[in-house]
Amino acid sequence: MAKFFNSLRDGVGFDLILVGAAMVFLLALAGLPLVYNVLMSFQQVDMFTLGQLIRPFAGISNYVAVVQQPEFWMVTRNTLVFVVGSMAGQFVLGFALAVFFAQKFPGAATIRGLFLVSWVMPGLVVGAIWSWILAGDFGVLNSILRGLGIIQSNIFWKSDPSFSIWAVIIANIWLGLAFNMLLLSVGLAAIPRDLYEAAELDGANAWQRFWTITLPMMRSTIGAVLSLGLIGTLQQFDLFPALTEGGPANTSNVAGYWSWQLSFQLYDFAKGATVSVMMFVLVLFASILYVRSTRHEVRG
Amino acid sequence: MSAEPQIELVGIDKHYGSFHALKNIDLTIPKGAFVALVGPSGCGKSTLLRSLAGLETISGGTMKIAGEQMNGVPPRKRDVAMVFQSYALYPHMTVEQNLTYSLRLKRVPKAEAARAAREVAETTGLTPLLGRYPRELSGGQRQRVAMGRAIIRNPKAFLFDEPLSNLDAALRVHMRKEIRALHDRLGATSVYVTHDQIEAMTMADHVVVMRDGVIEQQGSPLELYDTPASKFVAGFIGSPAMNFVPGKVSADGQSVQPDLPGAGSVALGRSVGAGRSVLIGLRPEHLQVGGDGPAVLRLPVSAVESTGSMTYLTLGGDPEIMVVDTGRTSVKAGDTISVSIEPGNVHLFDPATEKAI
C-alpha cells in the first residue's frame, strides 16, 4: 500500500497542491452544499432559523410530511413519466440520427455538427422557443398537425392537464437529442468497419448486423448515455418555468421543480431539501450504474 | 485439381472517381486451386479480392462464382468466406460464438451448430479455447478462429486478405503450411492476397502478379521465376531481387556485353536481335563467384553479409550487383572478384517497354 502511494508522489509536494486544489474546490462547491442539504432535511427550518446551522432536530418528520403532501404521488408519477419519456425519446431518436449520420453521404459531418446547436442553447431559450411552437391558439405544431389531418381542433399543450407534462417532454427531447446523438456517434465510430464486413459475409442482413454487432458493441456507450440522460433529465429545471411552471394543478410538476417551488416560493426549505435529498439518492444510484457500465468496456 | 472453373472474371474494371483501380482483369480460377494475388501496395490486389467478396462494387465486366453471375449480388448471398488481415473477430462473442455466428444467422439448430463448432475446433486446434473471448487469445490463435469461422460455412471460395501479416516471422512460416494443408484437406478454392512474394510462391499453385490495376503475369510459381514476362515481375519474384545491368547485344546476336567496366561478354545460348540495347537480368543466386564459365563481371566487393548458411556479396556501386554464395567464403570487402553465369540463366529485357526479350 505504501508503495502504491509512493508511486503517486513526485517528492516535492507539487502533486499534493494539485490534488488539494481540486479537492478544496470539490468540497467547497459540491460537498458542503450537499452535506448542508442533507442536514437541513433532518431539521426544522423556518424563517427565524434560516441563518443558523444548528436547528431543532426533526428526525424523519420532513420525509413523512413530504410523502403526505397531496401532490406527492402526482409529482412522483410525473417525474417518472418525464424521465422515462424524455430518455426514451432522446435515446431512440439520438440513436437513429447517429446511425443515419454514420452513413457516408455528402455533408453528413456538417449537418451532424449543426445539430449541436440545440445542445449549446440555454434551456430557458429552448423553453421560450418551444413555448411558441406549442402555443395552443397560434402554435406552429398545432397548425402542422391540423394541416396533416391528425387533429381536428387545437391542443392546448401547456394548459391541458393531460398534455402539459408532454409539452415539457417534447422540448426536453429536443434539448437532449444532440448530446445523445453525439455520444452514440462516437460509440458507433469506434466499431471497426471490418466487423460489419465480416458479418455481412457471414450472411447477416442490415437488421441482423445492428442487433448482433452494433448493439452489443455499444453496450458501454449505451450505459453511459442512459445514465447521463437520467442525471440530466432529473436535473432539468429551465424548461419548467419557461413552459408550464409545473401546472396546471401540478400536472406537469416534477421533483426538481417542486423542490425549488417548496424552497423558494413557499419558503419551506426543509421540505425542499428533503425532496432534493430523495432525488440525490436516485442520481447516486444512476451514477453507480454509469461507473459500472464504463468499467465493462469490450475490447478487441 | 479439376479443370472446372470456380471463379471466372472477365474484363473486370473498377473506378474510384477518377482513379482506375482495376483495369480489364481476366482471371479464371479452377475448382480446388490455391491462387495468390501478389503485388506492391496499391496494385489493386485487395480491391480485386474485396470485389470478389462483394464488399466493393465493380464498375464493369462479369464476375462468376460457381457458374453464377455475381455482379450486384450482396456479400451475404455470395457464399464466400473471407479471412481478414485484422481477423475481424467479434470481440463480444466467445470463440464458439464466433465460429457459429453464420450458422446461428441461418437458424441452424443449436445442437447441430455446437457439433459443427466442435468439429472445426478439432481441425483448427481450438478445442480448449472454445469458451474464451478473442481478447484472451494470442495472434496465432485469433488467426485460427478467423480460419475456423470461414471453414465452418463450407463456402464456395475462401478469400484471404493478407492473413499472416500481423504474425511474427516464425509463426508466419508455420501458419503458411497450416493454411495450405487445410486447403488441401478441404478441397477448397482459395484466393490469397499478399504483398509477400515468398508467401505467394510457397503456398499457391497459381500466382497472379499485379501492378497498377493490371495483371502483369500469371502462372505457376516456378514459371514466374524461370520466365518472367517483364522486368517488374523479374524484380518482384525472387529474393534477393534480380540484378539489372544495361548492356548491348553483340554483332552476331549470340552474346551480350554488360555496360560495366571490366565486364566480359555473356553467352546467351540463343539468338537475339544483333546490336540492340538491352537490360540484362541476373539473379543473385545464379551468379557464381569464380565459377567455371567465362567471367561475366569483375567488380570490387563493397559489402559481405553472412547468415551462416549463405553469404550475400554486394559488388560495385552503380548499379549494385548482389551475389548469393552458398556456404562460406573468404572474400572480404575491398577484394575484386569475378563472377560467372550459365547462359540459360541470363534474362534480357527491352529497356523501353521493360518486356522480356
Side-chain angles (χ1 to χ4, degrees):
Chain A
M1 206 60 184
K3 206 175 167 189
F4 170 74
F5 281 114
N6 283 336
S7 71
L8 299 179
R9 298 291 319 277
D10 69 349
V12 289
F14 184 62
D15 49 356
L16 287 184
I17 296 175
L18 290 178
V19 172
M23 289 306 288
V24 166
F25 184 84
L26 259 180
L27 286 176
L29 295 175
L32 278 182
L34 186 71
V35 172
Y36 185 60
N37 199 46
V38 174
L39 180 69
M40 223 167 26
S41 75
F42 291 105
Q43 290 177 330
Q44 290 174 25
V45 188
D46 54 37
M47 296 306 275
F48 302 103
T49 59
L50 205 51
Q52 299 160 9
L53 185 62
I54 307 303
R55 311 185 185 95
F57 182 68
I60 59 161
S61 66
N62 285 327
Y63 289 83
V64 173
V66 162
V67 174
Q68 282 173 344
Q69 289 270 355
E71 65 267 40
F72 176 80
W73 292 109
M74 163 87 88
V75 169
T76 305
R77 196 190 66 99
N78 285 342
T79 307
L80 203 71
V81 170
F82 181 68
V83 166
V84 172
S86 296
M87 281 174 62
Q90 287 175 355
F91 179 76
V92 171
L93 293 177
F95 210 145
L97 279 174
V99 171
F100 177 68
F101 284 117
Q103 316 303 311
K104 283 181 190 133
F105 59 88
T110 316
I111 303 172
R112 179 170 54 197
L114 285 179
F115 264 83
L116 289 180
V117 167
S118 76
W119 188 42
V120 298
M121 266 212 269
L124 273 173
V125 177
V126 174
I129 293 171
W130 278 97
S131 178
W132 287 325
I133 295 176
L134 296 169
D137 26 26
F138 60 84
V140 71
L141 183 63
N142 275 341
S143 138
I144 291 172
L145 292 178
R146 263 205 330 272
L148 291 172
I150 295 171
I151 56 169
Q152 304 308 320
S153 56
N154 284 341
I155 294 175
F156 285 80
W157 291 97
K158 293 178 288 175
S159 50
D160 185 328
S162 45
F163 287 107
S164 55
I165 186 71
W166 293 101
V168 195
I169 290 174
I170 290 171
N172 193 38
I173 288 174
W174 188 85
L175 188 64
L177 190 58
F179 180 66
N180 275 251
M181 179 191 74
L182 191 72
L183 286 188
L184 292 167
S185 285
V186 173
L188 277 180
I191 303 176
R193 267 228 76 69
D194 52 12
L195 285 190
Y196 289 109
E197 294 180 345
E200 215 173 336
L201 282 163
D202 271 343
N205 60 32
W207 188 243
Q208 289 168 325
R209 290 198 296 275
F210 180 79
W211 281 102
T212 57
I213 307 290
T214 309
L215 272 187
M217 292 292 288
M218 296 274 285
R219 222 190 82 165
S220 62
T221 311
I222 291 172
V225 166
L226 289 181
S227 319
L228 290 175
L230 175 62
I231 293 167
T233 305
L234 281 175
Q235 286 179 342
Q236 180 50 251
F237 177 80
D238 301 354
L239 290 176
F240 291 92
L243 282 168
T244 63
E245 297 184 5
N250 286 321
T251 51
S252 67
N253 207 355
V254 296
Y257 190 68
W258 190 40
S259 156
W260 175 81
Q261 280 181 327
L262 288 171
S263 292
F264 298 105
Q265 288 192 316
L266 307 174
Y267 301 111
D268 194 340
F269 288 98
K271 278 197 195 130
T274 306
V275 172
S276 60
V277 169
M278 289 171 163
M279 285 176 65
F280 170 73
V281 173
L282 251 178
V283 173
L284 190 69
F285 186 64
S287 308
I288 292 168
L289 279 183
Y290 168 65
V291 170
R292 283 181 60 91
S293 81
T294 50
R295 210 182 286 160
H296 280 118
E297 309 256 292
V298 178
R299 291 264 175 262
Chain B
M1 197 194 303
S2 65
E4 178 190 343
Q6 181 75 352
I7 297 174
E8 282 177 276
L9 306 178
V10 182
I12 300 294
D13 270 296
K14 168 76 187 171
H15 298 268
Y16 289 106
S18 62
F19 178 62
H20 202 167
L22 296 175
K23 297 167 190 161
N24 197 22
I25 300 281
D26 292 321
L27 179 63
T28 303
I29 299 174
K31 199 171 179 147
F34 197 115
V35 173
L37 305 179
V38 65
S41 44
C43 70
K45 55 191 191 298
S46 281
T47 307
L48 185 58
L49 191 80
R50 291 171 56 83
S51 303
L52 265 175
L55 298 171
E56 304 280 349
T57 49
I58 51 176
S59 319
T62 52
M63 175 179 285
K64 284 185 183 172
I65 298 176
E68 278 177 66
Q69 175 126 356
M70 284 296 164
N71 297 39
V73 174
R76 64 196 165 88
K77 294 193 174 145
R78 291 197 179 199
D79 195 17
V80 296
M82 187 153 159
V83 177
F84 291 80
Q85 181 174 0
S86 62
Y87 316 136
L89 302 182
Y90 310 121
H92 54 290
M93 299 184 198
T94 62
V95 169
E96 182 172 9
Q97 288 167 329
N98 263 282
L99 292 176
T100 56
Y101 181 69
S102 58
L103 303 181
R104 285 182 284 136
L105 289 173
K106 275 191 258 171
R107 307 204 182 286
V108 169
K110 263 195 183 125
E112 205 176 307
R115 187 158 42 80
R118 276 199 305 276
E119 271 171 31
V120 169
E122 200 72 42
T123 26
T124 48
L126 290 169
T127 309
L129 307 173
L130 279 175
R132 297 238 195 127
Y133 284 93
R135 61 173 176 274
E136 302 164 334
L137 302 179
S138 70
Q141 291 167 336
R142 291 180 195 193
Q143 167 72 54
R144 287 208 181 91
V145 178
M147 298 273 303
R149 203 169 58 177
I151 293 167
I152 203 166
R153 290 177 43 201
N154 192 21
K156 295 206 181 88
F158 287 94
L159 309 178
F160 297 90
D161 190 4
E162 309 221 5
L164 302 184
S165 48
N166 288 348
L167 300 179
D168 59 58
L171 197 52
R172 205 177 306 159
V173 173
H174 176 74
M175 287 307 287
R176 224 153 66 186
K177 275 183 252 163
E178 209 163 292
I179 291 178
R180 179 66 217 213
L182 216 48
H183 165 92
D184 291 338
R185 187 146 22 108
L186 298 169
T189 306
S190 302
V191 184
Y192 190 100
V193 160
T194 177
H195 62 267
D196 179 356
Q197 54 98 15
I198 304 256
E199 259 174 42
M201 298 285 282
T202 51
M203 296 172 78
D205 312 311
H206 191 83
V207 177
V208 177
V209 181
M210 294 183 67
R211 179 202 196 185
D212 294 337
V214 296
I215 294 180
E216 281 272 325
Q217 188 179 3
Q218 49 175 308
S220 74
L222 293 182
E223 263 169 50
L224 296 188
Y225 180 85
D226 292 336
T227 53
S230 65
K231 184 190 168 209
F232 174 77
V233 176
F236 195 79
I237 302 289
S239 174
M242 187 185 274
N243 301 298
F244 296 101
V245 183
K248 215 171 190 90
V249 180
S250 65
D252 61 359
Q254 294 292 326
S255 63
V256 66
Q257 173 66 44
D259 187 10
L260 279 177
S265 86
V266 190
L268 291 173
R270 60 193 170 120
S271 187
V272 185
R276 69 182 291 185
S277 298
V278 290
L279 268 180
I280 308 167
L282 306 166
R283 290 204 184 275
E285 59 274 30
H286 290 155
L287 291 168
Q288 293 164 304
V289 179
D292 317 324
V296 178
L297 303 171
R298 193 171 163 73
L299 288 166
V301 178
S302 55
V304 179
E305 298 158 287
S306 182
T307 63
S309 62
M310 303 266 204
T311 307
Y312 297 89
L313 305 172
T314 310
L315 311 186
D318 186 31
E320 278 187 347
I321 304 294
M322 192 76 152
V323 177
V324 177
D325 197 10
T326 46
R328 315 224 167 156
T329 176
S330 55
V331 175
K332 294 187 296 295
D335 295 355
T336 296
I337 60 165
S338 303
V339 291
S340 64
I341 192 165
E342 297 286 319
N345 287 334
V346 178
H347 300 270
L348 296 182
F349 302 94
D350 186 306
T353 64
E354 300 198 339
K355 296 281 178 229
I357 300 171

